[in-house]
Each structure stands twice: as structure tokens, then as C-alpha cells.
């Protein structure tokens, strides 16, 4: 298929998908909302290093060079197909190297039909490239494969996930996800860990928040926008992954005006303008998106 025709079809898909989600077409010529900027990135940003950010193995190697080995969750096993028997003997996490939301907890011992079902699931993950349906380009060059990591939590529950939004090299917001296995909930905070929405059940800040913010800014220094995810175990921050397309730019913001506020921050970064001071809230923050 000619390149210009392929690009035209991708643009049409992105516009129609956005229309079906929000009831309007995105402004791709002059994005001003965060959700529009994500669509713009899908169609226009072909940075050569972006596939390395989406490759979970390459991403860890990149993060280790910047942060040091103590920040990195080790890889216990990697390959294209799970072997006939589990390659690990303790509780662990199985992940697709090339995709998102393709993971499973390995509760040992696993054998027989339970392991065979997991092998079938992993084969399905690797049977096709990730990201093509929603035109998330950076996933397509990543080698399809699997990796197994230690289960990083002091409890049986999945660890708390700290997702840090970085615009123009400044970490501005911390999105915290808890109880991801069940009763999943999340809350957005500013960089001082003040909840953007009042709550009677505030989440405590991680002990390593300051270190996480600095690490996120170091890892995202080349990007106008990047989300960098971390965990914390007994006060030690651990790198999780990078995200170029949060929610594929199709998630609605729960707080009025936040789509515009995030979009304004991305516009600042794209234009090379100085970023607002930490704690800044835009004039659009209370205007419905």
C-alpha cells in the first residue's frame, strides 16, 4: 500500500475513533486538548527511539543506564514462547514484551492444564503486533516476546502503581493506582501529592516521591510529553515502564477542564516555552472539556 494512502487511512481511523468516543472530531492541525495531542502523536511522531521505550526489555536497559541497577526489576526469563514447564519456582509476573495490559501473575506451583492455558494465552499475545487497531505506531517495531519478573510486593496484592506525567522535562502530576487486581481505584495528584479532587480517603505519598519525580524527569528529558511509571517496595523506588499514549487518548478525564490543562502543558512543551511553576493550575482547569 502506498505510504500516502496508508497515512490517509490511519488519519481517518483516528478521527472516526475519536468521534465515536467524544462526539466530535479531534483538531489534529492545532491540538489543544491532551486527548488531541495523543492522536497527533500517533499520526505524526515517528521518533526513532520511541519503539525502544515501548519495548519492555530495552526500556529497562535504558532506565538502568540513567538511574542505576537498584531501580530495575530484574528479568528472570525472556523468550518468544513459554517452555513446557515454568522457568521460575516463586511467585512472579509474566508480561508481553511488545504490548500493554498483557500480563499475568504466576502463582507457583503451576503445572498441567493451568500452565498450558497460560502458554496458550501468551501465544495469543505474540500472534499479532500490538497497537495497530488504535494506530499506536511505536509498538509495531518492537520484537514480539515475553518476559518474567519477580513479583514486587510485600503482600499478595499487586503493588501500587505511581504513574508520573512529565511535560517538557517537568514532572507535573502523579497518578496513583491501587487494588489493580480487584476493586481497582486511582487518584490524580499534583507533584506535591495533593489530590486534585477532595477525598475523605487520601492516599499516603510514597516515601521515595522526591526520588521518583527526579527520576521521571531524567528519563523523560528528551520528550515533550512522557509518562513514567514506578513502584515502591520498602521505600525503594522501582522503574516500571514508559507510556507514550495514555488510554490511547480516548479516556475521559473525570475532572472538568483537565483535558485542557494537560493539553496546555503539552502545547507549552511542544513550543519550547518555559514550563509553568510547579503547582500551576491553568485558567481552564474548572472549564468543562
Amino acid at each position: 500500500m502506498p505510504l500516502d494512502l496508508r497515512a490517509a487511512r490511519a488519519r481517518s481511523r483516528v478521527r472516526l475513533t475519536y468521534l465515536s468516543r467524544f462526539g466530535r472530531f479531534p483538531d489534529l492541525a492545532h491540538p489543544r486538548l491532551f486527548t488531541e495531542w495523543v492522536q497527533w502523536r500517533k499520526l505524526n511522531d515517528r521518533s526513532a527511539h520511541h519503539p525502544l521505550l515501548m519495548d519492555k526489555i530495552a526500556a529497562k536497559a535504558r532506565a538502568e543506564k540513567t538511574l542505576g541497577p537498584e531501580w530495575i526489576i530484574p528479568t528472570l526469563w525472556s523468550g518468544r514462547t513459554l517452555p513446557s514447564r515454568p522457568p521460575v519456582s516463586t511467585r512472579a509476573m509474566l508480561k508481553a514484551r511488545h504490548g500493554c495490559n498483557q500480563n499475568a501473575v504466576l502463582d507457583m506451583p503451576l503445572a498441567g492444564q493451568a500452565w498450558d492455558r497460560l502458554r496458550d494465552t501468551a501465544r495469543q499475545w505474540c500472534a499479532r503486533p500490538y497497537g495497530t487497531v488504535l494506530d499506536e505506531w511505536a509498538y509495531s517495531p518492537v520484537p514480539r516476546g515475553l518476559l518474567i519478573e519477580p513479583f514486587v510486593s510485600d503482600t499478595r496484592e499487586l503493588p501500587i502503581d505511581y504513574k508520573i506525567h512529565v511535560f517538557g522535562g517537568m514532572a507535573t502530576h502523579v497518578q496513583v493506582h491501587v487494588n489493580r487486581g480487584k476493586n481497582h481505584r486511582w487518584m490524580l495528584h499534583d507533584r506535591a501529592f495533593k489530590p486534585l479532587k477532595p477525598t475523605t480517603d487520601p492516599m499516603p505519598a510514597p516515601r521515595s516521591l522526591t526520588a521518583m519525580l527526579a527520576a521521571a524527569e531524567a528519563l523523560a528529558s528528551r520528550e515533550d510529553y512522557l509518562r513514567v511509571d514506578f513502584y515502591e517496595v520498602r521505600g525503594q523506588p522501582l522503574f516500571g515502564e514508559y507510556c507514550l499514549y495514555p488510554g490511547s487518548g480516548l479516556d475521559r478525564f473525570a475532572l472538568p477542564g483537565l483535558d485542557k490543562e494537560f493539553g496546555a502543558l503539552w502545547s507549552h512543551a511542544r513550543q519550547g516555552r518555559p514550563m509553568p511553576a510547579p503547582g500551576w493550575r491553568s485558567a481552564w482547569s474548572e472549564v468543562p472539556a
Side-chain angles (χ1 to χ4, degrees):
M1 184 186 301
L3 185 60
D4 55 348
L5 179 57
R6 187 180 309 162
R9 289 186 175 180
R11 180 182 176 85
S12 179
R13 283 193 304 269
V14 164
R15 294 181 77 244
L16 290 173
T17 301
Y18 193 92
L19 173 66
S20 68
R21 180 62 173 149
F22 297 107
R24 52 183 164 76
F25 288 112
D27 186 344
L28 297 173
H30 304 287
R32 63 189 185 91
L33 304 177
F34 179 81
T35 52
E36 290 176 335
W37 273 116
V38 176
Q39 311 313 315
W40 181 93
R41 171 173 272 177
K42 293 178 187 179
L43 297 172
N44 297 288
D45 195 340
R46 294 294 183 268
S47 300
H49 66 282
H50 278 181
L52 298 177
L53 302 182
M54 298 298 94
D55 181 338
K56 286 184 172 60
I57 292 177
K60 290 202 289 185
R62 180 182 188 272
E64 183 174 1
K65 287 182 179 180
T66 301
L67 304 177
E70 67 276 10
W71 285 77
I72 306 305
I73 301 171
T75 299
L76 303 177
W77 174 91
S78 63
R80 179 65 184 267
T81 305
L82 286 176
S84 58
R85 295 182 179 179
V88 295
S89 58
T90 58
R91 199 164 200 245
M93 284 295 298
L94 170 67
K95 300 179 179 180
R97 172 181 182 173
H98 60 290
C100 181
N101 295 323
Q102 295 176 326
N103 53 70
V105 177
L106 303 182
D107 279 314
M108 296 301 164
L110 270 174
Q113 292 184 350
W115 180 247
D116 290 340
R117 284 195 297 270
L118 194 57
R119 293 181 73 204
D120 288 340
T121 297
R123 271 194 288 267
Q124 293 174 29
W125 294 344
C126 294
R128 60 188 65 85
Y130 185 87
T132 55
V133 173
L134 294 175
D135 291 283
E136 296 170 330
W137 164 82
Y139 287 105
S140 57
V142 178
R144 288 180 237 172
L146 309 163
L147 68 152
I148 296 177
E149 299 175 340
F151 188 81
V152 291
S153 177
D154 288 331
T155 70
R156 300 288 293 178
E157 303 297 328
L158 292 170
I160 296 174
D161 203 350
Y162 300 96
K163 302 176 182 294
I164 299 180
H165 298 268
V166 185
F167 295 91
M170 178 186 289
T172 61
H173 297 81
V174 184
Q175 189 173 330
V176 185
H177 289 248
V178 297
N179 298 329
R180 287 178 295 140
K182 55 184 178 180
N183 300 320
H184 178 205
R185 68 186 182 99
W186 63 272
M187 183 176 292
L188 193 63
H189 305 73
D190 65 17
R191 65 175 286 133
F193 218 74
K194 179 182 178 181
L196 269 61
K197 183 177 181 180
T199 177
T200 58
D201 184 24
M203 300 176 184
R207 284 187 279 166
S208 60
L209 176 62
T210 300
M212 282 186 190
L213 294 171
E217 291 176 345
L219 293 175
S221 61
R222 297 175 58 183
E223 305 295 332
D224 44 34
Y225 168 77
L226 189 65
R227 200 190 75 202
V228 189
D229 300 353
F230 297 92
Y231 307 110
E232 183 186 72
V233 179
R234 294 182 293 279
Q236 171 62 47
L238 297 170
F239 170 76
E241 62 183 6
Y242 301 102
C243 182
L244 289 166
Y245 317 103
S248 202
L250 298 172
D251 285 348
R252 294 181 183 275
F253 282 82
L255 297 177
L258 205 55
D259 198 359
K260 290 182 180 179
E261 182 172 324
F262 272 41
L265 288 168
W266 199 327
S267 296
H268 267 75
R270 284 292 303 176
Q271 295 163 9
R273 296 161 61 189
M275 297 303 294
W280 168 82
R281 298 301 304 278
S282 79
W284 304 289
S285 61
E286 301 305 323
V287 180

